[in-house]
């Protein structure tokens, strides 16, 4: 595990040097300091929990930019060390910047690029590290980073589509809660006073609404603190391993949503296999790497079984067909690729097809969900208003 250290050292001309460095051990820290011709005086390990919820992650967008820039600069003829020098000084993500600078120092000390990345396996998938390792050994890093750049760019596009699909509904829900809160605090108490003073017999719905309004008015601070607490507990749960497993299970069982979730998974699987097969990784090794890159526990369990079937000599298409997860068209294209010994080309076609399908589904979902949510919220708010105006009509008729 890579840790951060604050250090104080002396330079050759006896000047004090203070700084921060990434190292996997104290010995490595001393080695890094010696490499710069400094004499280590004092060091202190930085506790990770202080910035746990800050920028301690590397997003798909950051990885896409890293791969794109690596491929571009390597293709222009620059050495890997020069590329890392430039990227280390221009990276916007703090964690990525630390990783690049640490990798640069380690490579100067004789470490390979892949061995440095393995220390950051929390941020990079096994597929990513395996692909870089193959590219480094076969001198095809440019092609590897081009493929990885396209993969992470597509994953980022899918995530952006999902966020866009959820943003407007989330905004409407927040506004609806704000309107209900204002009504409970200011509007409903006013009507309640009028009805009470005129002894109007209220329907059950209106009575319930006024009871709810009284509870919110009398316990506003408690309600706000409870909402904040629920949100914090929810966030902590959903970023945990159990929370992520729960989300995956929920998405795989929820009607309509499960088809979208399944299509996204099929794209990720097909695209990952495409990248590995194009770069001459055997289908057994590619499937094994895929197992360690997936997050859905059901898919991990099933692909472990597929790996075992492949080792027994079974074809990929037969193994996936027994899986009973993939559409018939997917299986047939895999089978055709195996028959003509062109599996990587067929999987690339499947990958492109499912990427476009995911984008189309998410676009249609966005168009569909917005008017539906507006209608539901309008009916909800309208029901609240109706429960107040019906007794008001009764009051007006009594006065008349």
């Amino acid at each position: 595990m890579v840790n951060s250290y604050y250090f104080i050292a002396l330079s050759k001309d006896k000047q004090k040097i203070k700084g921060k460095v990434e190292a996997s051990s104290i010995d490595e820290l001393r080695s890094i300091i010696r490499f710069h011709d400094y004499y280590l005086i004092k060091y202190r390990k930085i506790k990770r929990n202080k910035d746990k919820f800050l920028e301690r992650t590397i997003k798909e967008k950051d990885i896409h930019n890293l791969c794109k820039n690596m491929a571009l600069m390597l293709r222009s003829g620059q050495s890997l060390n020069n590329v890392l020098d430039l990227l280390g000084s221009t990276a916007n993500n703090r964690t990525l910047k630390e990783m690049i600078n640490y990798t640069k120092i380690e490579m100067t000390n004789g470490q390979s690029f892949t061995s440095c990345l393995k220390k950051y396996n929390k941020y990079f998938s096994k597929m990513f590290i395996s692909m870089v390792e193959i590219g480094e050994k076969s001198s095809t890093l440019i092609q590897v980073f081009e493929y990885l750049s396209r993969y992470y760019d597509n994953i980022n596009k899918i995530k952006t589509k999902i966020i866009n699909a959820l943003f407007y509904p989330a905004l409407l829900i927040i506004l609806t809660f704000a309107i209900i809160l204002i009504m409970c605090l200011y509007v409903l108490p006013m009507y309640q006073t009028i009805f009470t003073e005129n002894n109007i017999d209220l329907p059950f719905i209106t009575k319930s609404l006024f009871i709810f309004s009284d509870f919110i008015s009398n316990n506003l601070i408690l309600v706000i603190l409870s909402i904040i607490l629920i949100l914090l507990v929810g966030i902590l749960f959903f970023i945990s391993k159990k929370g992520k497993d729960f989300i995956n299970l929920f998405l795989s069982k929820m009607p309509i949503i499960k088809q979208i979730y399944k299509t996204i998974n099929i794209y990720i699987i097909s695209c990952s296999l495409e990248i590995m097969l194009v770069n001459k990784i055997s289908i057994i090794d590619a499937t094994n790497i895929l197992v360690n890159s997936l997050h859905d526990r059901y898919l991990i369990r099933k692909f472990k079984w597929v790996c075992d079937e492949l080792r027994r000599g079974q074809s990929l298409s037969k193994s996936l067909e027994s899986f009973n997860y993939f559409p018939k068209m997917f299986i047939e294209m895999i089978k055709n690729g195996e028959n003509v010994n062109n599996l990587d080309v067929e999987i690339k076609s499947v990958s492109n097809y499912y990427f476009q399908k995911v984008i189309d589904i998410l676009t249609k979902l966005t168009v569909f969900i917005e008017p539906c949510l507006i209608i539901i919220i309008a009916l909800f708010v309208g029901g609240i208003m109706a429960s107040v105006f019906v007794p008001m009509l009764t009051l007006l008729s009594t006065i008349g």
Side-chain angles (χ1 to χ4, degrees):
M1 180 183 173
V2 179
N3 296 303
S4 298
Y5 294 88
Y6 286 122
F7 71 88
I8 301 175
L10 280 178
S11 64
K12 282 186 175 182
D13 54 0
K14 304 299 181 183
Q15 286 188 343
K16 270 192 178 182
I17 307 295
K18 295 181 180 180
K20 178 183 170 185
V21 71
E22 297 275 321
S24 57
S25 66
I26 303 301
D27 290 337
E28 190 173 38
L29 170 66
R30 290 193 174 101
S31 175
I32 293 168
I33 298 299
R34 280 198 303 270
F35 173 78
H36 289 89
D37 288 330
Y38 296 153
Y39 177 75
L40 185 63
I41 299 174
K42 191 176 180 182
Y43 65 87
R44 177 170 61 86
K45 185 179 175 181
I46 302 170
K47 291 183 179 180
R48 291 278 184 184
N49 59 349
K50 287 185 178 179
D51 52 1
K52 185 176 179 181
F53 296 104
L54 299 177
E55 195 183 74
R56 301 307 303 175
T57 186
I58 301 175
K59 299 177 182 177
E60 279 81 5
K61 185 178 179 180
D62 299 314
I63 299 177
H64 160 63
N65 289 331
L66 173 68
C67 294
K68 183 178 72 173
N69 292 331
M70 290 284 283
L72 185 66
M73 287 187 277
L74 288 172
R75 189 169 285 283
S76 70
Q78 296 188 54
S79 68
L80 184 56
N81 283 331
N82 288 341
V83 172
L84 291 174
D85 268 331
L86 182 59
L87 293 179
S89 61
T90 57
N92 293 321
N93 184 287
R94 181 160 56 93
T95 305
L96 184 60
K97 189 169 189 171
E98 289 175 2
M99 185 276 292
I100 293 171
N101 290 330
Y102 167 81
T103 301
K104 183 178 60 178
I105 293 169
E106 283 297 287
M107 287 180 66
T108 308
N109 290 336
Q111 293 285 329
S112 68
F113 185 42
T114 308
S115 63
C116 297
L117 285 179
K118 285 178 180 177
K119 296 175 182 178
Y120 286 85
N121 56 6
K122 178 181 176 181
Y123 307 110
F124 298 102
S125 67
K126 187 174 180 181
M127 182 197 75
F128 183 95
I129 294 170
S130 299
M131 291 302 305
V132 172
E133 185 173 19
I134 289 167
E136 195 171 20
K137 288 178 179 177
S138 60
S139 300
T140 56
L141 269 179
I142 297 172
Q143 292 82 353
V144 165
F145 278 121
E146 285 174 344
Y147 273 103
L148 289 172
S149 172
R150 182 170 64 85
Y151 170 75
Y152 283 104
D153 183 37
N154 288 345
I155 293 295
N156 185 53
K157 285 177 181 175
I158 290 171
K159 284 198 170 185
T160 302
K161 277 283 183 183
I162 293 171
I163 291 169
N164 289 341
L166 297 176
F167 175 77
Y168 185 68
L171 182 63
L172 282 179
I173 291 170
I174 291 169
L175 288 174
T176 302
F177 275 109
I179 291 168
I180 291 171
L181 184 63
I182 291 170
M183 289 180 70
C184 288
L185 292 176
Y186 302 106
V187 180
L188 293 178
M190 179 179 66
Y191 281 102
Q192 186 177 11
T193 303
I194 295 171
F195 295 148
T196 303
E197 288 175 353
N198 291 275
N199 297 317
I200 299 297
D201 189 22
L202 300 174
F204 173 75
I205 295 176
T206 310
K207 287 180 181 178
S208 302
L209 195 61
F210 286 149
I211 291 170
F212 177 73
S213 173
D214 287 339
F215 176 79
I216 296 294
S217 299
N218 297 329
N219 303 279
L220 182 60
I221 295 175
L222 180 63
V223 169
I224 292 173
L225 290 175
S226 299
I227 292 171
I228 293 171
L229 181 62
I230 290 169
L231 287 174
L232 286 175
V233 171
I235 291 169
L236 288 172
F237 173 71
F238 287 124
I239 64 174
S240 68
K241 190 178 184 303
K242 286 186 178 180
K244 290 174 182 177
D245 289 340
F246 172 79
I247 292 171
N248 288 330
L249 182 64
F250 174 79
L251 292 174
S252 64
K253 300 294 183 183
M254 188 76 174
I256 301 174
I257 299 296
K258 67 180 180 181
Q259 288 302 321
I260 301 171
Y261 179 70
K262 183 177 179 179
T263 306
I264 292 172
N265 278 331
I266 292 173
Y267 165 71
I268 291 172
I269 290 165
S270 59
C271 190
S272 300
L273 288 174
E274 174 210 338
I275 293 171
M276 290 185 279
L277 292 177
V278 165
N279 286 278
K280 309 305 177 186
I281 297 179
S282 70
I283 187 61
I284 295 176
D285 289 339
T287 311
N288 189 48
I289 291 168
L290 185 62
V291 167
N292 293 284
S293 301
L294 293 170
H295 301 289
D296 189 293
R297 294 179 73 178
Y298 171 77
L299 289 175
I300 290 170
R301 188 170 65 250
K302 286 295 185 179
F303 265 95
K304 282 181 179 177
W305 178 83
V306 170
C307 283
D308 293 336
E309 289 296 296
L310 291 171
R311 290 189 186 99
R312 294 189 189 102
Q314 187 69 272
S315 67
L316 179 63
S317 56
K318 285 287 183 184
S319 302
L320 294 178
E321 194 171 13
S322 306
F323 196 154
N324 198 26
Y325 184 83
F326 296 91
K328 189 175 180 180
M329 185 199 78
F330 182 95
I331 302 296
E332 289 300 318
M333 291 188 74
I334 298 294
K335 192 180 293 183
N336 183 59
E338 290 173 329
N339 291 337
V340 298
N341 198 25
N342 211 11
L343 186 57
D344 56 337
V345 175
E346 288 296 329
I347 288 184
K348 183 177 181 179
S349 300
V350 171
S351 170
N352 291 336
Y353 169 78
Y354 276 98
F355 172 69
Q356 195 55 52
K357 186 175 181 180
V358 169
I359 296 298
D360 291 343
I361 289 172
L362 292 174
T363 302
K364 290 175 183 176
L365 180 66
T366 305
V367 173
F368 172 77
I369 201 171
E370 289 178 5
C372 288
L373 198 60
I374 289 172
I375 292 170
I376 292 169
I377 290 172
L379 289 172
F380 183 71
V381 175
I384 293 174
M385 298 305 296
S387 65
V388 173
F389 282 118
V390 168
M392 181 59 71
L393 291 174
T394 306
L395 174 61
L396 292 175
S397 63
T398 302
I399 294 171

